[in-house]
Amino acid sequence: MRLQDYDHGKRYAARLARSERITPPGSVEVRELHLEVAAADFRASAGQSIGVIVPGPHALGHAHHFRLYSIAADCEPDAAGIARPTLCVRRCNYIDDYSGEEYRGIASNYLCDLAPGASVTINGPFGLPFEIPEDPATDLLLISMGTGIAPFRAFVAGLYRRQPDRAGRVQLFHGAASGLELLYMNDERDDFSEYYDRGTFQAFKALSPRPHWADPIAMDYAIEQRAAEVWEMLAGAHARVYVAGKAEILAILDRVFAELAGSAAEWQERKARLKEERRWVELVY
């Protein structure tokens, strides 16, 4: 779907309660925004996105600008009817391929520049939640790049809240250009550390070998290092795979999993079966 096709339905006035930078100084700026929505009917779960509507006018005569952001924490209204969605926002600027001129990303800069107490218009949520399997023995493979880690922050928290003694393995692969750009797994914030002492949870970092060059994030290398266990999980009758982040991650995964499977044809057959059984879930942009 096109973004303009999402911009419909009921809008909500949200208040920015807190804005916190979660990457170290000197690296790309990523902020965690905590919103408050006074609406008893607003709720969102891991895997869903919220629409942010930036007031205009904007270029080309647009009355407003619309972007989707994955939630980083499940939210339901409390006893007072206040829902508290959390967003993970990277400040983005773009270089024009022809002129070389730099342009500020409209929605990301708008959100990153907001001061606590400001009002934000949102709508949604959109998309289907990441489903927590009923069987706590189900193995889960979670793969993310950049801000694609946000839905997994929400998902893992909900998973262990509902299944504190789960026996199934949870392997999280998170990719970034450098250690400074890892989200929720760096010196500023390591929200996944509370799960490290659980025997079922493991988190692995996939970084670019030369972060200041154009080298890609080494997601394939990180997975290949654990090829035997990853392929064993994929071969399981009930294992599930969740993928989140930029769409370019899909080609990387197809390449590395084809190598593990022995051929591209074998992997595509396995992937098609996973999708048919709703055990392969993508949240990419």
Side-chain angles (χ1 to χ4, degrees):
M1 294 178 65
R2 301 170 301 172
L3 281 176
Q4 55 263 41
D5 294 331
Y6 282 97
D7 189 13
H8 60 83
K10 184 175 180 179
R11 298 185 181 187
Y12 300 88
R15 173 184 173 274
L16 178 61
R18 190 167 85 251
S19 177
E20 175 187 359
R21 179 166 179 155
I22 59 174
T23 49
S27 65
V28 62
E29 181 182 358
V30 181
R31 305 191 72 84
E32 185 179 85
L33 277 62
H34 297 258
L35 305 177
E36 294 180 347
V37 185
D41 64 336
F42 186 88
R43 48 185 43 82
S45 300
Q48 293 187 301
S49 300
I50 290 174
V52 173
I53 300 169
V54 184
H58 297 287
L60 303 179
H62 295 159
H64 60 260
H65 185 78
F66 176 78
R67 280 293 179 269
L68 292 173
Y69 290 92
S70 300
I71 65 161
D74 289 351
C75 70
E76 290 195 6
D78 59 18
I82 305 296
R84 294 178 170 82
T86 301
L87 305 182
C88 180
V89 181
R90 172 175 175 152
R91 187 187 293 274
C92 296
N93 296 307
Y94 304 93
I95 304 295
D96 187 275
D97 292 336
Y98 297 98
S99 67
E101 187 175 352
E102 183 176 36
Y103 293 91
R104 286 163 51 89
I106 295 174
S108 68
N109 281 278
Y110 167 76
L111 290 171
C112 288
D113 289 341
L114 285 177
S119 179
V120 186
T121 301
I122 65 172
N123 66 348
F126 301 100
L128 298 175
F130 283 169
E131 183 180 8
I132 294 177
E134 293 185 7
D135 185 356
T138 302
D139 288 333
L140 304 176
L141 189 60
L142 316 179
I143 305 171
S144 71
M145 288 177 64
T147 54
I149 192 68
F152 292 138
R153 177 183 182 270
F155 181 71
V156 172
L159 179 70
Y160 282 107
R161 185 170 59 248
R162 287 177 49 181
Q163 301 175 347
D165 300 318
R166 73 180 329 271
R169 291 168 290 182
V170 181
Q171 291 203 353
L172 169 65
F173 289 85
H174 178 33
S178 72
L180 294 176
E181 296 184 17
L182 286 169
L183 305 179
Y184 302 117
M185 294 171 64
N186 60 29
D187 292 339
E188 293 291 314
R189 287 277 298 274
D190 191 358
D191 289 16
F192 290 99
S193 62
E194 63 180 289
Y195 311 111
Y196 292 159
D197 61 350
R198 298 176 182 267
T200 57
F201 181 82
Q202 290 180 293
F204 306 106
K205 303 172 182 178
L207 305 176
S208 171
R210 296 180 296 180
H212 299 296
W213 296 58
D215 288 8
I217 292 169
M219 184 62 73
D220 49 355
Y221 179 75
I223 293 175
E224 287 167 356
Q225 289 292 97
R226 295 152 190 88
E229 186 172 10
V230 168
W231 192 246
E232 178 198 349
M233 292 174 68
L234 286 173
H238 305 291
R240 298 190 183 189
V241 184
Y242 298 85
V243 182
K246 290 188 176 181
E248 64 193 59
I249 194 175
L250 298 177
I252 297 172
L253 295 181
D254 279 341
R255 183 172 67 250
V256 67
F257 287 142
E259 293 179 1
L260 298 186
S263 72
E266 176 64 26
W267 164 241
Q268 289 303 321
E269 182 179 340
R270 175 70 58 87
K271 184 178 179 180
R273 189 158 61 249
L274 289 169
K275 286 187 171 183
E276 182 180 354
E277 296 172 357
R278 299 177 61 186
R279 294 193 291 124
W280 178 282
V281 181
E282 298 171 3
L283 178 59
V284 298
Y285 56 90

